[in-house]
């Protein structure tokens, strides 16, 4: 029977336990896993963490954060023993530290950004210096995101390229998230009652929006297209 490895910190101990589980004589299931086979578990654990953040207790958050952390440690151990990858958790941490320092010149440098809004406005330029190969505001946005989250991302990018005004009035005013949730549920219920697929419909529209953003970047267009919303009520002379 294996003993729990001793280590300087609890994180080091988790890394050592993971390595022991995947080593010869450890757990056969753990030893067979790959980056690809673990994707489903990463997705599941991430959603469980979201649930804990939104409605859980301190203990549930600790547990679910640990589950997500374990996925990171697991992937790092796989990489450490995969020819051509050969990186570990320390490499991951070093890369992330360098990224955060580089993206916060207002903290680690001389740049003066006083408000969160100032930081948001400068964020894209920080990332552009970090990844000069990226040529589109859409680069780095995973299309596999849930459709509502993807819609939020693409609308933000549409604002950046001028397809949508940042300060445009809401087409459907809502007072709070509870009211918004009820409205979204009603839309999905209406789609279901008519035999329509709300998820597919939104993704189809988002593909059109994505194409418009690409065109706007190429042509410096300003036509709002699929996300064009009336700026004045019908019949107005504005």
């Amino acid at each position: 029977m294996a003993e729990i490895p001793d280590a300087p910190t609890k994180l080091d101990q988790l890394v050592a336990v993971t390595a022991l589980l995947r080593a010869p004589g450890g757990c056969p299931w753990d030893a067979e896993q790959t980056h690809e086979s673990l994707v489903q578990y990463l997705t599941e654990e991430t959603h469980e963490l979201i649930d804990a953040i939104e409605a859980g207790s301190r203990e549930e958050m600790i547990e679910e954060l640990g589950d997500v952390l374990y996925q990171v440690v697991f992937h790092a151990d796989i990489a450490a023993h995969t020819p051509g990858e050969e990186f570990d958790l320390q490499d991951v941490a070093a890369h992330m530290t360098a990224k955060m320092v580089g993206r916060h010149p207002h903290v680690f440098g001389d740049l003066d950004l006083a408000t969160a809004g100032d930081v948001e406005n400068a964020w894209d330029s920080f990332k552009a210096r970090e990844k000069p190969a990226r040529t589109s505001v859409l680069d780095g946005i995973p299309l596999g995101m849930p459709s509502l989250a993807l819609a939020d991302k693409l609308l933000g990018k549409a604002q950046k390229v001028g397809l949508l005004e940042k300060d445009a009035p809401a087409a459907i005013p809502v007072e709070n998230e509870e009211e918004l949730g009820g409205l979204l549920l009603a839309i999905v219920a209406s789609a279901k009652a008519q035999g329509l697929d709300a998820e597919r419909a939104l993704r189809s529209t988002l593909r059109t929006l994505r194409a418009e953003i690409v065109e706007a970047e190429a042509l410096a267009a300003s036509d709002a297209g699929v996300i064009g919303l009336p700026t004045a009520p019908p019949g107005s002379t504005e």
Side-chain angles (χ1 to χ4, degrees):
M1 179 180 294
E3 295 184 359
I4 298 175
D6 191 18
T9 69
K10 296 300 183 184
L11 180 57
D12 291 324
Q13 191 172 49
L14 176 59
V15 172
V17 165
T18 306
L20 185 61
L21 290 174
R22 299 196 65 255
C27 174
W29 186 89
D30 288 68
E32 290 181 358
Q33 299 313 301
T34 65
H35 295 305
E36 292 76 16
S37 71
L38 291 177
V39 168
Q40 60 178 316
Y41 303 108
L42 177 59
T43 302
E44 179 181 337
E45 301 297 358
T46 301
H47 284 293
E48 289 182 3
L49 173 58
I50 293 170
D51 285 344
I53 290 172
E54 294 179 345
S57 64
R58 172 183 180 275
E59 288 71 24
E60 288 172 318
M61 279 194 63
I62 290 174
E63 178 180 354
E64 300 306 337
L65 280 167
D67 288 343
V68 173
L69 175 61
Y70 183 64
Q71 292 298 310
V72 177
V73 173
F74 206 141
H75 280 280
D77 190 82
I78 291 174
H81 298 90
T82 300
E85 294 183 2
E86 297 164 344
F87 63 83
D88 61 14
L89 190 63
Q90 295 298 328
D91 296 310
V92 174
H95 186 275
M96 197 63 200
T97 298
K99 178 187 287 188
M100 288 300 98
V101 170
R103 289 188 180 183
H104 292 81
H106 50 297
V107 177
F108 300 100
D110 299 328
L111 186 63
D112 183 17
L113 298 176
T115 69
D118 292 338
V119 175
E120 289 179 1
N121 291 334
W123 195 250
D124 282 343
S125 66
F126 300 161
K127 293 196 294 184
R129 287 197 299 269
E130 177 187 308
K131 299 185 177 181
R134 291 186 173 180
T135 58
S136 170
V137 296
L138 298 174
D139 289 344
I141 298 179
L143 297 180
M145 292 174 65
S147 59
L148 281 176
L150 181 59
D152 184 78
K153 279 284 189 183
L154 292 183
L155 287 170
K157 299 306 182 183
Q159 290 176 339
K160 288 184 181 298
V161 300
L163 285 176
L164 184 67
E165 294 181 13
K166 291 184 178 181
D167 299 324
I172 307 175
V174 289
E175 295 294 327
N176 50 54
E177 290 189 356
E178 181 178 0
E179 183 180 338
L180 175 60
L183 176 60
L184 291 171
L185 183 60
I187 292 173
V188 175
S190 296
K192 183 177 179 63
Q194 299 174 77
L196 302 174
D197 186 325
E199 174 76 13
R200 185 169 62 231
L202 180 54
R203 284 199 171 276
S204 177
T205 301
L206 291 177
R207 282 193 291 272
T208 302
L209 172 56
R210 191 177 187 282
E212 289 185 0
I213 293 172
V214 171
E215 182 179 0
E217 287 184 308
L219 304 176
S222 60
D223 179 12
V226 69
I227 56 172
L229 300 172
T231 57
S236 169
T237 58
E238 273 188 66

